[in-house]
Amino acid sequence: MTIRVIVADDQGMVRSGFSILLNAQADIEVVGEAVNGQEAIARVAELSPDVILMDVRMPVLDGLQATRQITAAGDGAPRVLVLTTFDLDDYVYEALRAGASGFLLKDASAGELAAAVRVVAAGDALLAPGVTRRLIAEFARLGAPRAASRKNLEDLTERETEVLALVARGLSNAEIAAHLVVAEQTVKTHVSRILMKLALRDRAQAVVFAYESGLVRPGE
């Protein structure tokens, strides 16, 4: 199946460049573009994309607010891949809280761009090690865990709690499988159950939950 993408960025060259690179992929099609967050929301309603490449800094309505409104639709909402640069640390945490499934640097290669779109379209999260480190630093700055999140941990089994902690530390399914000495498919099953029990959309939200609940603490 073809992955339908919308590119939302107020810079025309960025939109054109990403559109050209993605349309060159056999399994990806850019079905629309948007110059601000408000237009991105309208395009989603019109075109029903699978993935949105969302810039953070845009006029009229910024990418964070647009992401929050788009992902509020729940399971039927498209995945949001936030376009960022290394100097946007302040936005990392808020973008994940808003429902973004990952981050992509604006200077990404064609291969990295296509791979990122495929990852989030498949329902997974894209958190590069550098982004994860900044996210952990932000949790450290914010301080104490939230009581409501902590209570929800009681719904998980001991093994599911263990898997969630490893996900929060940035390990892939294959790495978790090796660490626990189980099959990778078993890990995938655990992750799916964790997301279902905690009503989370993807791994990105699972990372946020793990830190907010105090299951994992920065520096551990």
Side-chain angles (χ1 to χ4, degrees), residues 26-39:
D27 59 338
I28 301 174
E29 178 188 5
V30 175
V31 296
E33 298 180 2
V35 301
N36 57 56
Q38 185 172 301
E39 194 170 291

Side-chain angles (χ1 to χ4, degrees), residues 1 3 11 18 44 58 64-65 79 85-86 99 110 114 116 124 136 175 177-178 182-184 199 201 203 220:
M1 291 180 62
I3 301 170
Q11 297 180 44
F18 277 20
V44 167
M58 291 188 292
L64 293 179
Q65 295 180 72
R79 304 285 172 171
T85 55
F86 280 121
D124 213 336
I136 290 171
E175 291 168 336
V182 298
E184 187 172 349
R201 291 188 70 204
R203 293 172 86 97
E220 289 184 347

Side-chain angles (χ1 to χ4, degrees), residues 78-99:
R79 304 285 172 171
V80 177
L81 188 56
V82 172
L83 300 174
T84 187
T85 55
F86 280 121
D87 63 350
L88 293 182
D89 294 9
D90 293 346
Y91 295 107
V92 171
Y93 175 76
E94 286 305 322
L96 287 177
R97 289 296 312 281

Side-chain angles (χ1 to χ4, degrees), residues 31-86:
V31 296
E33 298 180 2
V35 301
N36 57 56
Q38 185 172 301
E39 194 170 291
I41 293 170
R43 291 286 180 271
V44 167
E46 295 170 12
L47 303 169
S48 301
D50 301 302
V51 175
I52 305 170
L53 296 183
M54 183 79 77
D55 187 24
V56 172
R57 292 173 173 168
M58 291 188 292
V60 184
L61 190 72
D62 67 35
L64 293 179
Q65 295 180 72
T67 296
R68 194 171 289 111
Q69 290 188 41
I70 289 168
T71 59
D75 291 340
R79 304 285 172 171
V80 177
L81 188 56
V82 172
L83 300 174
T84 187
T85 55
F86 280 121

Side-chain angles (χ1 to χ4, degrees), residues 9 16 37 71 74 81 84 93 125 131 165 170 200 213:
D9 195 295
S16 297
T71 59
L81 188 56
T84 187
Y93 175 76
V131 170
L200 303 172
S213 67

